[in-house]
């Protein structure tokens, strides 16, 4: 908030300009601007500002986490994007991550749906990728859905890396072998 004048004499008026960055907010919001005065009857004045932040879209779920995946399974996650305007259309979608496949189920009215899956036979290891959804919305043309998980084999060691320390002395470390 920014006041046009820091000090007002009795009878004078001034303006307070307040700005609100709505990024990360959705729905009804209430914010407060505190004005401090030297008036003994009103040392603090609270200016309450309310509003409604509308978002161009809502993604459910916002992030795909496949968790632990066996290499011979094909986990799938359905994602829906709810657009606030019916005229918003999905033009294309792409994936980043060679383990990832998506099936475009299309758009009905203001809801777009796709299914993301881990490719069968993906090598064991951590999964990091994303789905890029491109729309005709000029303000937010790209929507990103992050994808994570871990493909595990039939045998896994915990910890996955083992350090035996320096060359001096004897070091004992426990290694756990899990058969899945």
């Amino acid at each position: 908030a920014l006041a046009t004048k820091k000090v007002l004499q009795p009878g004078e008026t001034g303006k307070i300009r307040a700005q609100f960055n709505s990024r990360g907010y959705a729905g009804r919001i209430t914010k407060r601007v505190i004005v401090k005065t030297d008036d003994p009857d009103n040392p603090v004045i609270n200016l309450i500002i309310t509003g409604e932040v509308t978002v161009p879209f809502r993604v459910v779920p916002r992030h795909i986490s496949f968790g632990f995946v066996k290499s011979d399974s094909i986990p799938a996650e359905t994602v829906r994007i709810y657009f606030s305007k019916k005229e918003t259309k999905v033009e294309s979608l792409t994936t980043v991550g060679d383990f990832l496949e998506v099936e475009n189920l299309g758009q009905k009215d203001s809801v777009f749906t796709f299914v993301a899956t881990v490719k069968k036979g993906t090598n064991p290891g951590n999964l990091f990728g994303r789905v890029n959804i491109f729309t005709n919305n000029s303000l937010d043309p790209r929507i990103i859905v992050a994808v994570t998980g871990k493909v595990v084999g039939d045998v896994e060691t915990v910890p996955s890396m083992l350090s035996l320390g320096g060359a001096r002395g004897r070091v004992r470390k426990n290694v756990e072998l899990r058969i899945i």
Side-chain angles (χ1 to χ4, degrees):
L2 179 66
T4 55
K5 288 178 80 174
K6 292 281 185 192
V7 178
L8 295 175
Q9 299 302 319
E12 272 190 299
T13 61
K15 292 182 181 179
I16 296 175
R17 185 176 139 221
Q19 258 183 311
F20 170 68
N21 181 350
S22 63
R23 183 174 288 287
Y25 290 89
R28 187 161 178 77
I29 57 106
T30 301
K31 293 293 177 182
R32 178 173 43 177
V33 176
I34 299 170
V35 179
K36 296 181 180 178
T37 74
D38 62 357
D39 181 349
D41 295 332
N42 295 302
V44 175
I45 299 171
N46 289 307
L47 303 175
I48 306 296
I49 301 167
T50 60
E52 185 79 23
V53 178
T54 58
V55 293
F57 59 86
R58 185 171 49 95
V59 182
V60 179
R62 188 75 184 117
H63 169 255
I64 299 171
S65 175
F66 287 115
F68 290 97
V69 177
K70 291 204 41 131
S71 59
D72 61 347
S73 68
I74 305 174
E77 183 77 45
T78 301
V79 177
R80 288 183 178 78
I81 302 172
Y82 300 89
F83 294 107
S84 58
K85 295 182 179 178
K86 286 187 179 184
E87 56 271 7
T88 303
K89 302 292 181 209
V90 171
E91 296 176 337
S92 65
L93 58 128
T94 62
T95 61
V96 175
D98 58 357
F99 67 91
L100 190 58
E101 289 182 336
V102 292
E103 180 185 358
N104 181 342
L105 298 181
Q107 185 168 344
K108 184 173 179 181
D109 296 324
S110 59
V111 181
F112 173 75
T113 307
F114 70 89
V115 175
T117 58
V118 174
K119 290 180 185 176
K120 187 172 185 171
T122 298
N123 291 331
N126 291 321
L127 305 176
F128 297 102
R130 71 175 183 259
V131 179
N132 296 310
I133 301 98
F134 297 94
T135 72
N136 64 349
N137 182 331
S138 61
L139 295 175
D140 284 309
R142 183 173 71 158
I143 301 167
I144 299 172
V145 177
V147 181
T148 59
K150 182 175 184 178
V151 175
V152 294
D154 293 333
V155 176
E156 181 181 4
T157 60
V158 178
S160 59
M161 185 181 289
L162 183 63
S163 171
L164 297 176
R168 295 184 188 180
R170 264 175 72 178
V171 177
R172 287 191 171 189
K173 296 277 184 173
N174 291 329
V175 176
E176 177 182 330
L177 184 64
R178 293 182 188 164
I179 300 188
I180 301 172

